Amino acid sequence: MSLLAEDTEAADLGLRWKPGFAALGPAFFTELRPTPLPDPYWVGRSEAVARELGLPTDWHESKATLAALTGSMPVAGARPIATVYSGHQFGVWAGQLGDGRAIMLGETDGGLEVQLKGAGRTPYSRGGDGRAVLRSSIREFLCSEAMHGLGIPTTRALCVTGSNAPVYREEIESAAVVTRVAPSFVRFGHFEHFAANQRDEELRALADYVIDRYYPACRTTDRFGGNAYAAFLEAVSERTAALLAQWQVVGFCHGVMNTDNMSILGLTIDYGPFQFLDGFDPRHICNHSDTQGRYAFNQQPNVAYWNLFCLAQALLPLIGDQEVAVAALESYKTVFPNEFEGRMRAKLGLTEAAEGDRPLIEGVLKLLAAGKVDYTIFWRRLSGYMADGNVEPVRDLFLDRAGFDAWLLSFSQRHAGTDRALAAELMRRSNPKFVLRNHLGQQAIEASQQKDHSGVATLLALLQTPFEEHPGADAYAGFPPDWASTIEISCSS
Ligand code: AMP
Ligand code: MG
């Protein structure tokens, strides 16, 4: 292909684009092109996301699409941009960051932004190469679809495409691109950026854009004397609280909860060294680079609240009153525990709240922690017990049998008069059989590195419907092997 041809040819993905975020103007982004990667190949695809985007059924059959999604060919009608943001990393102001390797193609007429993560350097790459390695791209692809399958708000991923182009990390790896999809990729850090630079006009334009597009009810609020920006902060805070409750309930550790990794829509975003807990350890640290445990599993709800304070600080020039800004964060303290308890109740097969639910929940978590009992397996087996009455598979998980029996007694008393079949069904829908454990991802990654991508597809199918039984797939629902605890996942990606 000649240079000229590359300049004029474009892949038609069958999508119609609208300005979206780019309508905010050049203060918010830089227009640029992805940097081509040679000889791209498919690694994984989510047909569910393809349908969501409204792509034609044969979308993946054209070489041009493969090239376009790997950054090697322009996309017809798209005006790619990289956006600027700042943020607090590990509790410290980090200054300007921005999309250092994610390039946004634009927004579809269906209201979804499409990003190519790993598509080359941008003005915000700082020292980085603008690339993403195959390993972390597969993890992000699988986990975003897994979270969606679990019913947890998240950015989505259409596909992973790979190339043999070398990428230098601790060792030489190969490059990949994740095509990510979300209604918006705006982060807390976007607001912090303009606030820190005292650019109030841009700050207001950004807030107005996000409110009008995603939080229109704030315009007609009677909260805070009709202060739309305070109502917006409160709405973000409540969505974040609900998200954190879902993470804690499913045993998901994000690993890098910097304010630039916090979605303004309350989505799970930027999958790095995340982990679904194996044995239940509230103090688990999944990020090998997090030596202080700032983002340990049990710290997450507090860290999110801390991050919301950063957002409140950034929105202060718009809200106009510090007391009002602080008041807008207040409901986090009730929404989080309410959501958490409600979802824990569902895991226990309980539809209505009753006095004594909190000690029942705390009691089981304490037991699980004391025995480092496998979190996902415990809940699924407890669901099985509710269905068939056989308690041994659950009991076998505990060394402290007496402790478990005592808890089970209070659990059974709480369920006196319950329709067991109904409760079992609720539990089955609330306690997944399949989560993306580190070792499962690792196995799929190692096969993919040898050009066998079937493991990615197998995992994807299980994780998209994680509450189903999937007969024959029990090997993916078992205890982690011993080597799983030796997997070290850092920020390097
Ligand atoms: P993260 O903590 O992975 O979300 O990334 C923090 C910041 O570093 C973001 O601004 C990223 O865009 C940027 N970044 C991470 N990896 C790279 C890379 N390989 N090249 C350029 N920028 C990167
Ligand atoms: Mg990030």
Side-chain angles (χ1 to χ4, degrees):
M1 200 184 285
S2 76
L3 269 181
L4 190 68
E6 210 162 79
D7 258 313
T8 50
E9 267 185 59
D12 185 358
L13 303 187
L15 292 171
R16 273 199 300 270
W17 303 94
K18 58 181 187 181
F21 185 91
L24 278 167
F28 296 83
F29 58 84
T30 304
E31 272 198 68
L32 79 179
R33 281 218 181 155
T35 310
L37 279 168
D39 307 319
Y41 50 84
W42 293 108
V43 176
R45 290 187 296 266
S46 168
E47 290 303 329
V49 177
R51 280 193 297 275
E52 200 108 325
L53 281 167
L55 290 175
T57 48
D58 60 353
W59 69 278
H60 59 271
E61 285 171 18
S62 107
K63 275 215 159 98
T65 298
L66 173 61
L69 295 179
T70 319
S72 302
M73 193 187 258
V75 172
R79 280 177 57 187
I81 60 171
T83 74
V84 63
Y85 53 80
S86 294
H88 285 83
Q89 298 186 318
F90 290 90
V92 179
W93 178 244
Q96 181 178 309
L97 304 163
D99 294 325
R101 54 177 171 168
I103 296 182
M104 183 153 85
L105 294 177
E107 181 179 330
T108 68
D109 59 355
L112 291 172
E113 294 182 352
V114 180
Q115 258 194 2
L116 304 180
K117 181 171 176 179
R121 301 199 75 229
T122 78
Y124 317 109
S125 298
R126 299 173 293 149
D129 58 7
R131 292 304 181 193
V133 297
L134 180 63
R135 147 181 73 82
S136 62
S137 303
I138 290 175
R139 279 171 55 86
E140 170 142 16
F141 170 70
L142 286 177
C143 200
S144 23
E145 292 310 282
M147 291 299 251
H148 181 74
L150 291 163
I152 301 176
T154 178
T155 63
R156 304 287 303 274
L158 172 67
C159 58
V160 182
T161 50
S163 162
N164 290 341
V167 177
Y168 300 89
R169 297 292 182 261
E170 283 77 12
E171 45 191 286
I172 299 180
E173 302 189 45
S174 64
V177 174
V178 190
T179 301
R180 304 201 289 192
V181 176
S184 171
F185 284 96
V186 170
R187 303 140 190 275
F188 290 9
H190 280 95
F191 293 90
E192 290 179 277
H193 179 74
F194 294 101
N197 291 294
Q198 277 123 43
R199 288 161 68 179
D200 287 6
E201 211 173 296
E202 283 97 343
L203 179 67
R204 187 177 299 275
L206 179 63
D208 286 343
Y209 172 76
V210 173
I211 290 171
D212 290 341
R213 283 294 312 275
Y214 308 104
Y215 292 92
C218 296
R219 289 285 176 219
T220 51
T221 186
D222 46 20
R223 307 271 304 138
F224 312 108
N227 186 326
Y229 302 109
F232 166 53
L233 177 61
E234 182 173 65
V236 175
S237 156
E238 292 182 1
R239 280 203 204 182
T240 306
L243 176 71
L244 267 289
Q246 287 192 271
W247 286 2
Q248 299 308 112
V249 160
V250 80
F252 176 79
C253 199
H254 180 283
V256 205
M257 288 180 66
N258 294 332
T259 57
D260 53 301
N261 290 340
M262 297 291 292
S263 152
I264 204 69
L265 300 186
L267 309 172
T268 314
I269 192 171
D270 278 15
Y271 292 87
F274 69 82
Q275 186 177 4
F276 285 87
L277 299 182
D278 290 320
F280 185 63
D281 174 7
R283 287 179 301 190
H284 185 71
I285 303 164
C286 64
N287 180 353
H288 197 64
S289 320
D290 182 10
T291 45
Q292 303 292 309
R294 178 178 173 85
Y295 299 138
F297 177 70
N298 64 0
Q299 296 303 305
Q300 297 188 122
N302 282 340
V303 167
Y305 191 55
W306 191 93
N307 288 344
L308 282 160
F309 263 89
C310 294
L311 180 64
Q313 183 75 41
L315 292 175
L316 200 51
L318 306 180
I319 294 173
D321 180 329
Q322 188 156 341
E323 270 177 41
V324 174
V326 172
L329 298 179
E330 207 36 44
S331 59
Y332 186 93
K333 295 182 206 157
T334 45
V335 173
F336 174 78
N338 285 343
E339 288 282 330
F340 180 78
E341 277 183 42
R343 291 184 181 279
M344 273 294 177
R345 228 177 266 121
K347 287 174 89 68
L348 291 163
L350 300 165
T351 44
E352 267 158 50
E355 214 169 312
D357 283 352
R358 191 174 285 193
L360 191 68
I361 293 165
E362 284 171 0
V364 75
L365 293 178
K366 226 183 234 168
L367 271 178
L368 292 172
K372 268 211 170 190
V373 175
D374 190 278
Y375 190 69
T376 304
I377 291 179
F378 164 74
W379 288 106
R380 192 70 180 184
R381 288 195 185 180
L382 191 69
S383 318
Y385 159 64
M386 187 56 83
D388 65 16
N390 178 12
V391 77
E392 287 317 314
V394 198
R395 202 164 177 264
D396 283 350
L397 295 169
F398 295 86
L399 278 177
D400 176 10
R401 298 283 160 96
F404 173 72
D405 288 345
W407 180 81
L408 190 72
L409 185 64
S410 50
F411 176 67
S412 302
Q413 283 165 349
R414 177 66 174 83
H415 268 296
T418 295
D419 178 330
R420 284 187 80 98
L422 272 182
E425 180 53 20
L426 172 61
M427 291 172 78
R428 201 188 56 79
R429 282 186 284 112
S430 310
N431 296 312
K433 179 168 178 178
F434 302 95
V435 294
L436 180 57
R437 295 180 191 261
N438 265 352
H439 75 277
L440 296 174
Q442 191 59 29
Q443 283 164 337
I445 288 164
E446 284 172 19
S448 258
Q449 287 168 335
Q450 305 303 318
K451 301 289 182 289
D452 171 4
H453 309 300
S454 61
V456 173
T458 304
L459 270 183
L460 178 67
L462 298 174
L463 296 170
Q464 282 180 327
T465 49
F467 300 101
E468 302 302 321
E469 274 303 316
H470 293 282
D474 284 3
Y476 295 90
F479 291 99
D482 286 344
W483 60 266
S485 60
T486 66
I487 300 173
E488 285 176 359
I489 302 199
S490 68
C491 283
S492 155
S493 60

